[in-house]
Amino acid sequence: MPFARHGLREMFLAFLVSAALGAGVWFLYPPASPAPFLLFLFVLSFFRDFNRPVPADPDAFVSPADGRVTEITDVTEDSYIGGPAVRIGIFLSVFNCHVNRMPWPGTVEYIKYFPGLFLDARHPDSGPKNESNALGLRDPDRNVKMLVRQVAGLIARRIICTAKTGDTLVKGQRIGMIKFGSRTELYIPKDRVGSIAVKVGDTVYGAKTILGRLK
């Protein structure tokens, strides 16, 4: 199973801590000495990074993250889209893969970091109030903008964005990750949304699950 390179430090530290705890437990009660390595296995599972098939449907926009859909709401998005939009919020628990991906092909036009709070990422207010990073992309062929917002949660304290302004990326391509529990939001201009293919409570997978289709 491949692992995200952004987690190399955490995986190495988890191994050292698990080994030290395992050695200490061995002196006290040898049969229990493997137990601390569960911490190492948990950290490994968090940073797993799957290769995913991307749907061939040319009108479909895909999920930017693994997790559970917690919100599908009409909003006004002024920072990049500049008007009415549909916001799809996805909660990523500590058991999900936390790699973020492009929901649609396009050129990155806008990246902005917002300092903020660390509310529970399942709450809709976490999007505008929590620490976050917004990435705006434009597809000139379809004349459409989309915005992906990486939102820190109660536990997550580090957002990584590997995309840069001017990058031209394909649908499903990796754009970063949020460490240890978070929220990812996708904003699509309301007048370009043809249909939504998911509902609140659905489990989705980054690059693989179709969230909806453009007009």
Side-chain angles (χ1 to χ4, degrees):
M1 177 187 298
F3 298 97
R5 59 184 175 83
H6 313 296
L8 291 177
R9 182 184 65 176
E10 286 82 357
M11 289 186 283
F12 179 68
L13 290 175
F15 175 77
L16 292 180
V17 171
S18 297
L21 291 174
V25 172
W26 186 84
F27 283 105
L28 298 174
Y29 185 59
S33 58
F37 282 93
L38 293 175
L39 169 65
F40 177 57
L41 293 177
F42 168 74
V43 174
L44 283 183
S45 71
F46 178 85
F47 288 105
R48 62 197 188 280
D49 181 10
F50 302 102
N51 292 317
R52 295 269 174 75
V54 180
D57 187 335
D59 296 324
F61 49 91
V62 298
S63 179
D66 289 22
R68 181 171 57 86
V69 176
T70 56
E71 178 192 13
I72 303 173
T73 309
D74 290 347
V75 298
T76 298
E77 206 298 303
D78 291 325
S79 67
Y80 176 68
I81 290 177
V86 176
R87 179 174 68 199
I88 302 175
I90 300 166
F91 172 68
L92 295 74
S93 79
V94 293
F95 300 105
N96 289 122
C97 170
H98 278 58
V99 174
N100 293 134
R101 298 170 182 266
M102 287 281 282
W104 187 264
T107 299
V108 178
E109 286 192 325
Y110 170 87
I111 297 178
K112 186 171 178 60
Y113 168 77
F114 298 87
L117 306 176
F118 296 95
L119 302 175
D120 189 321
R122 288 169 290 190
H123 197 285
D125 284 349
S126 64
K129 293 183 179 180
N130 278 20
E131 177 178 312
S132 65
N133 184 71
L135 183 150
L137 66 97
R138 179 193 290 272
D139 176 8
D141 295 333
R142 293 290 291 266
N143 189 28
V144 64
K145 289 181 172 182
M146 292 189 187
L147 181 77
V148 177
R149 188 181 297 277
Q150 302 168 286
V151 184
L154 186 65
I155 301 174
R157 299 293 167 123
R158 188 177 180 196
I159 297 172
I160 296 170
C161 179
T162 56
K164 299 177 178 61
T165 304
D167 287 352
T168 298
L169 307 174
V170 300
K171 187 189 299 185
Q173 189 166 344
R174 296 165 177 83
I175 56 174
M177 74 178 304
I178 319 169
K179 296 185 178 182
F180 298 110
S182 54
R183 174 182 173 92
T184 301
E185 298 177 340
L186 174 62
Y187 296 77
I188 313 101
K190 185 172 174 58
D191 63 356
R192 300 304 305 275
V193 177
S195 63
I196 298 295
V198 294
K199 62 183 184 300
V200 172
D202 283 355
T203 298
V204 295
Y205 300 93
K208 181 178 179 181
T209 301
I210 293 175
L211 296 186
R213 292 173 175 83
L214 296 184
K215 290 181 180 177

